[in-house]
Amino acid sequence: MTPDPCEPDGTRESDGTREPDRVDALARAAAAGDPVALEDLLGVVRPRILAVCRGVLPHGPDAEDACQEAMLSVATKVGSWHGRGRFTTWLHVVALNSARSTYRRLKRQAVAVDPAEGGRLERPDPRTTSVIAGTRLDLLEAMEAIGAGHPQVVEPLVLRDVYGLTYAEIAEALGLPLGTVKAQVHHGRRLARPLLQADL
């Protein structure tokens, strides 16, 4: 049997359930107002959220900040999942949005405290820290540039090409038709390619 894409080793809990099934069950209970289930859910999903944030923010403390922001979003907005698809797919979207939000905040701080003007950054400058090996232009810089004119393609593109979610998972998570997601991803790739290759 093919392992669940969100659980590569097909891990089963001691009660025989698969990990994604357990997460879904905890999320349903948390959305219904069970505080114990919410606490358990947050403990289970934190490593997954942190992994998503680290994929966008290579500096550890920045990823931790984004993870905490995402955890707060999960705690306060778990009811917006509505049970469509896997909870872990919805979680990817929440974590990605938190990482992008943290990146924007760090970028504003880096501009405000520019070493060239005598300031000192306590962390690597996110404008010059590459997310994808082999590129000089940060992936998120490319996404910000694309988002200015084509905001609808950014989330599907990152979820597909960075985190490897299937088109169907993205469609479920974003509440979009499958064909729309495919079109947005392909359009986003065309827009991103020259940006990511410009300074190679």
Side-chain angles (χ1 to χ4, degrees):
M1 183 170 68
T2 303
D4 188 291
C6 293
E7 194 65 32
D9 59 1
T11 302
R12 289 183 178 274
E13 296 295 297
S14 57
D15 63 1
T17 61
R18 292 173 65 87
E19 175 71 6
D21 294 333
R22 176 179 176 235
V23 172
D24 285 356
L26 286 172
R28 280 191 289 270
D34 183 338
V36 175
L38 178 60
E39 197 65 31
D40 289 346
L41 176 68
L42 293 174
V44 169
V45 301
R46 187 182 186 283
R48 190 183 299 268
I49 292 173
L50 185 58
V52 171
C53 293
R54 282 177 174 159
V56 175
L57 299 163
H59 188 54
D62 297 342
E64 290 281 355
D65 287 350
C67 179
Q68 289 305 312
E69 181 181 313
M71 294 275 284
L72 180 60
S73 292
V74 171
T76 57
K77 300 176 182 176
V78 64
S80 67
W81 169 46
H82 299 308
R84 286 199 313 251
R86 285 289 188 188
F87 180 77
T88 48
T89 302
W90 178 87
L91 190 72
H92 263 83
V93 177
V94 172
L96 172 62
N97 287 338
S98 176
R100 291 177 62 204
S101 167
T102 300
Y103 178 84
R104 291 189 193 104
R105 176 173 52 79
L106 294 174
K107 183 180 173 183
R108 287 193 300 271
Q109 290 175 355
V111 170
V113 186
D114 193 334
E117 300 295 327
R120 184 169 67 89
L121 288 174
E122 298 298 327
R123 56 169 60 84
D125 186 338
R127 295 170 297 172
T128 58
T129 302
S130 180
V131 173
I132 296 181
T135 66
R136 295 183 190 175
L137 183 61
D138 199 323
L139 172 65
L140 284 185
E141 285 293 326
M143 294 303 101
E144 293 297 304
I146 292 170
H150 307 273
Q152 72 280 4
V153 308
V154 174
E155 232 173 30
L157 177 63
V158 176
L159 289 172
R160 177 70 188 120
D161 287 355
V162 177
Y163 294 109
L165 271 64
T166 67
Y167 290 113
E169 288 173 326
I170 298 167
E172 286 179 350
L174 300 182
L176 296 171
L178 183 61
T180 298
V181 168
K182 290 182 177 180
Q184 289 177 346
V185 169
H186 293 308
H187 184 47
R189 285 172 178 165
R190 286 195 297 272
L191 295 170
R193 194 171 296 117
L195 294 174
L196 294 173
Q197 293 177 345
D199 292 327
L200 287 180

